[in-house]
Amino acid sequence: MENKIRGIHHVTAITADAQDNVDFYCGVLGLRLVKLTVNFDAPTSYHLYYGDGVGSPGTVLTFFVWAGAYRGQVGPPQVTSVAFAVPEGALEFWAERLRQHQVQVEEIGDRFGESVLGFDDPDGVRIELVAAGSPMAGSGPVEPGRAIQGFHSVTLSEEGYEKTAKHLTDVFGFQAEAQTGKRFRYRSGSGEHGSVLDVLCLPDAPLARLGGGVVHHVAFRTPDDAQQAVWRGTLCDLGYNVTPVIDRQYFHSIYFREPGGVLFEIATDGPGFAIDEPADELGKKLMLPPWLEPLRGKLERILPQVQVPDWPGAVLSV
Ligand code: ZN
């Protein structure tokens, strides 16, 4: 079977404040909260999932809520920035909109011929908007000509890039595409959302430490359980330490560390976020997987209330 990674499935980061996080990603960036649930491995804390209207693979940014956590250390080996695609010509709108919400934005820069706008979210996660999409797509409270369309790429910071590069090309089937300075670009053949990966070689930077404002892991797409099983076999044969398949309710996952040390996940495209609530009701109330449902009463007493804006809500503008 021709088994190549189709690009990014989701990215998971850590926030210290659930409400600030919802206000920023829904209220400012115009993403939809597609699932309000708990961290299945630590169910007394929230796990927030944002995405396009239905949480399509390639659009989903998720956060573990570590309430009141100290800020972590951004550095290798880690995903150190998350880039979303926006339509050509939309960056000036976004720069102005972010400034109006007291977000410090950098000057619009150029990377491999594409315009990039960089800023930090309220916890310090570095987000980038890349002018790379067509102006037709998009949904949600930001008018379609400007809205975030899904992932463009992530940047992995590594002490050395060679072993990670070899993994991306020889195992995942990405193509080495370009280099500028310490940044090396790889692309999956799918051409879908999130098909780009940059590796930044930072041998002298302080090493990563988990905490608020850092990315926990990046997940890559596989279409179904059968192809995921092939991936698991391939990775085990190569000597990687891979977890068993874990049921994440909205997708099925395996995890391993790539040779540079970043936590990778391979997640199935399905069953998706409409498996336990109607598509037009996503994210409005706390959803629990069947095995945690007996704890609902206790969890609802422990977890803080989160106010989630209506979707699609009013059209947001500068
Ligand atoms: Zn994940």
Side-chain angles (χ1 to χ4, degrees):
M1 184 182 350
E2 178 79 347
N3 208 9
K4 287 184 179 173
I5 287 293
R6 292 173 63 191
I8 298 163
H9 182 285
H10 68 268
V11 177
T12 295
I14 300 164
T15 177
D17 190 303
Q19 189 64 60
D20 283 356
N21 196 254
V22 169
D23 290 347
F24 185 75
Y25 284 97
C26 296
V28 180
L29 293 191
L31 303 181
R32 184 180 195 182
L33 187 74
V34 293
K35 197 62 63 181
L36 179 66
T37 186
V38 295
N39 182 339
F40 294 174
D41 299 326
T44 55
S45 59
Y46 278 123
H47 192 178
L48 308 172
Y49 288 78
Y50 305 93
D52 66 2
V54 295
S56 307
T59 73
V60 178
L61 178 61
T62 96
F63 283 86
F64 296 142
V65 180
W66 292 7
Y70 286 110
R71 194 170 276 204
Q73 174 67 53
V74 174
Q78 199 182 59
V79 172
T80 50
S81 69
V82 178
F84 290 104
V86 297
E88 295 284 353
L91 290 186
E92 286 76 11
F93 161 82
W94 280 106
E96 181 60 20
R97 177 170 171 75
L98 287 157
R99 281 191 205 102
Q100 297 235 340
H101 285 84
Q102 284 73 53
V103 179
Q104 206 169 342
V105 294
E106 298 169 4
E107 291 296 313
I108 295 172
D110 177 274
R111 184 184 296 157
F112 299 121
E114 294 172 327
S115 296
V116 181
L117 176 68
F119 54 94
D120 289 346
D121 85 353
D123 288 283
V125 177
R126 182 178 168 82
I127 302 294
E128 296 169 336
L129 300 180
V130 181
S134 90
M136 298 303 291
S139 62
V142 178
E143 54 187 278
R146 293 160 170 167
I148 286 173
Q149 299 172 343
F151 291 124
H152 172 274
S153 56
V154 295
T155 297
L156 307 179
S157 289
E158 304 275 6
E159 290 182 271
Y161 81 98
E162 294 90 348
K163 285 186 291 185
T164 301
K166 194 167 163 52
H167 172 89
L168 293 174
T169 56
D170 295 4
V171 183
F172 273 10
F174 282 61
Q175 301 290 321
E177 186 175 88
Q179 179 198 350
T180 177
K182 295 176 174 178
R183 183 178 290 271
F184 300 78
R185 173 154 290 189
Y186 301 86
R187 187 183 294 270
S188 81
S190 71
E192 296 172 83
H193 287 314
S195 53
V196 174
L197 223 75
D198 283 356
V199 178
L200 199 54
C201 190
L202 296 177
D204 302 319
L207 294 180
R209 190 183 65 249
L210 282 182
V214 305
V215 175
H216 189 272
H217 64 268
V218 55
F220 297 92
R221 295 178 62 184
T222 194
D224 53 34
D225 293 334
Q227 292 197 45
Q228 183 179 58
V230 174
W231 273 114
R232 189 167 188 284
T234 301
L235 292 163
C236 288
D237 288 347
L238 289 167
Y240 289 74
N241 186 6
V242 190
T243 67
V245 175
I246 299 175
D247 182 1
R248 294 308 189 192
Q249 179 79 344
Y250 312 108
F251 43 84
H252 304 146
S253 300
I254 57 174
Y255 303 82
F256 63 98
R257 288 198 185 273
E258 55 83 26
V262 179
L263 184 60
F264 277 9
E265 172 181 348
I266 296 178
T268 55
D269 278 357
F273 294 96
I275 187 179
D276 58 357
E277 57 185 340
D280 56 359
E281 297 287 321
L282 295 179
K284 287 188 176 172
K285 58 183 185 195
L286 178 67
M287 301 308 296
L288 298 172
W291 62 92
L292 291 175
E293 210 39 76
L295 296 176
R296 176 175 286 277
K298 185 181 172 196
L299 294 175
E300 285 181 341
R301 284 194 297 278
I302 293 171
L303 293 162
Q305 288 288 312
V306 177
Q307 298 297 320
V308 180
D310 286 339
W311 175 268
V315 171
L316 303 179
S317 58
V318 168

